[in-house]
Amino acid sequence: MGSLSAKRMQTSTRGFTLVEMVTVILILGILVVGVSSFIIFGTRIFVESSSVDQVLSQSRFAVERMTRELRSALPNSVRVNSDSLTYQCVEFVPTEASTTYLSMPIAPNATALTGTVILNATDKIKENQYIWIYPLIDSDVYNSARQKRAQIKTFTPPGEPPNLANQVTLTFMASTRFAEASPRQRIYFASAPVSYCFEKVPSSNELILQRYTGYQFNNSQPRPIDMGAGVLMAQNMINSFTDSSDLPMTLTPSTLVNNAMVHLQPRFTVNGETFQYRHQVQVINVP
């Protein structure tokens, strides 16, 4: 009776054999490798898809922002310059308001300090703003030699006495005489030029897109280094400045019968893959 109990106790306390332990370790190792590979693969897919989504969102925002601003550009203010190695820039003047003038000092009349326009309370007019009448070429916008541009000193807001009929008198910074009258008596208001520049990163062949504003009007189009600090709009682009078929943008100038056209064609790269926009922006040429 006692020997039988001892055998049962010995049987119940016996551990795993070496073969059993090795088998369990192998099975657990296979499971860990399989699960870890699945987790790593899923994480890699998530990271790559997040990178692609970020570049897509950034590129769409940049192209849409450029499109909206170019469409509101002052007629004949768009101009493009480039360096075959480092940058390509488009410059224009975003129109903040436009209306009809009633009386302005226009050649051959004498110079004057004031002019009268029709304004609504919603028009974005402010002091120190610039005005243009009948700009036909980009030098009419950026160069005041032909007197197509003047700067506002003061004005009485529309809807307030004595301008209840929205006939507002503008006072200029200096005595002014515009070179030509507009056939439709149109006048445009804006504050400062804007530039979008595709620039090559010195440490790589990738390009970035930056937006510049807050600088002064220049007779010749300025370089990025002359415009101060820019705001980063997009990156991860790989266009070439030396290949005319691969430029990030081109300009088709306006004519007497056609509007100007800006062709945006930046190429983006992410995770070894590339995609390209081919977008045309029409810039109204009705001064």
Side-chain angles (χ1 to χ4, degrees), residues 67-256:
T67 299
R68 290 187 179 185
E69 290 198 76
L70 283 166
R71 283 177 178 166
S72 67
L74 179 70
N76 302 305
S77 69
V78 179
R79 57 183 182 177
V80 172
N81 75 341
S82 62
D83 179 277
S84 61
L85 297 177
T86 57
Y87 71 88
Q88 185 186 34
C89 295
V90 58
E91 185 181 31
F92 57 95
V93 178
T95 302
E96 298 176 19
S98 63
T99 186
T100 302
Y101 65 83
L102 298 178
S103 63
M104 282 286 165
I106 299 173
N109 297 328
T111 61
L113 280 171
T114 61
T116 305
V117 300
I118 297 176
L119 290 179
N120 297 316
T122 57
D123 288 329
K124 299 178 181 179
I125 308 302
K126 55 189 176 182
E127 295 177 357
N128 297 319
Q129 215 169 28
Y130 290 91
I131 59 175
W132 288 264
I133 294 178
Y134 207 46
L136 297 177
I137 55 178
D138 57 30
S139 61
D140 291 341
V141 176
Y142 299 98
N143 189 343
S144 59
R146 291 189 63 199
Q147 282 297 304
K148 294 295 187 80
R149 183 182 82 217
Q151 191 173 12
I152 299 173
K153 183 177 182 181
T154 60
F155 69 97
T156 302
E160 298 181 9
N163 304 313
L164 296 178
N166 291 346
Q167 296 184 15
V168 175
T169 299
L170 306 178
T171 302
F172 309 133
M173 288 287 189
S175 188
T176 300
R177 179 174 63 182
F178 292 92
E180 296 179 71
S182 166
R184 294 297 187 99
Q185 292 185 271
R186 298 297 297 171
I187 186 169
Y188 295 89
F189 298 77
S191 296
V194 169
S195 288
Y196 280 89
C197 294
F198 295 90
E199 304 173 41
K200 182 169 291 187
V201 179
S203 59
S204 68
N205 290 325
E206 290 185 351
L207 308 182
I208 59 173
L209 174 63
Q210 298 209 95
R211 181 182 185 271
Y212 295 88
T213 190
Y215 59 92
Q216 299 299 315
F217 287 90
N218 295 275
N219 296 344
S220 58
Q221 189 171 350
R223 303 169 300 169
I225 194 174
D226 301 323
M227 295 184 285
V231 177
L232 180 64
M233 303 297 292
Q235 52 189 359
N236 299 103
M237 288 170 285
I238 54 172
N239 292 82
S240 172
F241 293 139
T242 57
D243 184 357
S244 59
S245 64
D246 192 35
L247 292 172
M249 65 181 167
T250 57
L251 171 65
T252 301
S254 61
T255 66
L256 292 177

Side-chain angles (χ1 to χ4, degrees), residues 18-40:
L18 180 60
V19 174
E20 290 173 334
M21 292 181 64
V22 171
T23 303
V24 171
I25 292 173
L26 287 174
I27 293 173
L28 290 176
I30 293 172
L31 289 175
V32 169
V33 171
V35 172
S36 62
S37 299
F38 177 77
I39 294 175
I40 293 172

Side-chain angles (χ1 to χ4, degrees), residues 76 252-261 282-285:
N76 302 305
T252 301
S254 61
T255 66
L256 292 177
V257 294
N258 293 320
N259 293 316
M261 191 76 70
Q282 182 175 246
V283 184
I284 302 302
N285 178 38

